[in-house]
Amino acid sequence: MTDWNGIDMLIQLLCVGKIKEKYMREAIAEYQKRLSRFCRFEIIEVGDVSIPDRASEAEKEAVLKREGELIAGKIKGGAFLVCMCVEGKSMATEAFAEKMKKLEITGTSHICFVIGGSLGLWEELKKKADLCLSLSEMTLTHQMARLFLTEQIYRVYKMNRNETYHK
C-alpha cells in the first residue's frame, strides 16, 4: 500500500449510551489516544432510551425511533455515514483498510460510524447510510462493538501507513 495520511480526516463514533465499565473506557481511550496522530477522532454519545420490561414490538420500535432521532440530530451534513449492524456487510480488515483509503483519496474528509443501543439501529437511519457494516455475525454488546471498531480503525491507519502492528 502507498503512504496514506489521514490527518485531515474527521472520524466520529456516534454511540447510544455510555460505557459504564472502567476497564472498557480505558481500553477505548487508549486507542483514541493512539488514533490522534492519524486523524481527528471523536466519540459522541447520545442517551439511551429506557425499554420497558417485556416490551411489545411497538414499544421496541418506539425506542429505536427515539434513539434514531437522537442519533440523526448529531450527524453532520456531508459525513460518510456507516451504520454498524449485524445485517451489514462483513469485511476483512484488509478490505476495510482499502475502503477507508479510497474514501480519503476520493475527497471524503468526515466519516461517521453509528453504533446503536441494545435493540440495534432504527431502520430509517440504516436506509440513509452510505454503508452498513457488520463487525461479526455474533451478537456483541454495544460497548464491545465500540472497542472493537475503535481498534479496527487504528489497525487500518497502521496498515495504510505501512507501519507494523501485531497480527
Side-chain angles (χ1 to χ4, degrees):
M1 290 182 185
T2 59
D3 189 35
W4 183 66
N5 178 4
I7 202 71
D8 294 328
M9 179 71 75
L10 170 60
I11 296 182
Q12 293 179 312
L13 261 60
L14 184 46
C15 309
V16 173
K18 295 193 176 298
I19 302 291
K20 295 170 183 68
E21 298 85 2
K22 181 181 177 186
Y23 68 92
M24 191 72 72
R25 285 193 312 269
E26 289 173 348
I28 292 166
E30 176 61 28
Y31 285 110
Q32 191 171 10
K33 182 179 82 176
R34 291 179 188 190
L35 276 164
S36 67
R37 66 182 266 249
F38 299 119
C39 65
R40 294 177 294 138
F41 185 83
E42 301 174 354
I43 296 175
I44 301 167
E45 297 173 332
V46 300
D48 51 355
V49 177
S50 62
I51 305 164
D53 289 339
R54 297 187 194 123
S56 69
E57 288 304 311
E59 289 170 318
K60 289 178 184 178
E61 184 56 36
V63 168
L64 283 169
K65 181 179 182 191
R66 181 65 190 126
E67 287 178 348
E69 291 168 344
L70 291 171
I71 291 166
K74 298 287 185 182
I75 299 170
K76 295 178 182 171
F80 185 88
L81 182 61
V82 181
C83 285
M84 305 303 298
C85 50
V86 71
E87 68 275 11
K89 178 179 178 159
S90 293
M91 201 178 282
T93 302
E94 293 79 9
F96 184 44
E98 193 60 35
K99 177 69 174 173
M100 294 282 286
K101 187 191 320 184
K102 283 180 183 176
L103 285 172
E104 187 181 40
I105 289 170
T106 58
T108 300
S109 60
H110 180 194
I111 303 172
C112 182
F113 292 90
V114 177
I115 299 173
S118 61
L119 295 176
L121 285 173
W122 186 36
E123 284 301 317
E124 293 302 312
L125 193 57
K126 290 188 271 188
K127 289 177 185 175
K128 294 178 183 177
D130 296 296
L131 174 64
C132 286
L133 187 62
S134 174
L135 288 171
S136 173
E137 289 183 22
M138 294 180 169
T139 302
L140 303 173
T141 65
H142 48 286
Q143 294 94 340
M144 291 299 285
R146 192 184 308 191
L147 173 60
F148 292 168
L149 179 59
T150 304
E151 187 278 337
Q152 285 295 294
I153 293 168
Y154 174 70
R155 185 178 294 269
V156 159
Y157 274 100
K158 294 288 281 185
M159 289 171 66
N160 284 339
R161 291 182 62 126
N162 295 318
E163 295 181 13
T164 58
Y165 186 61
H166 67 82
K167 293 184 179 189

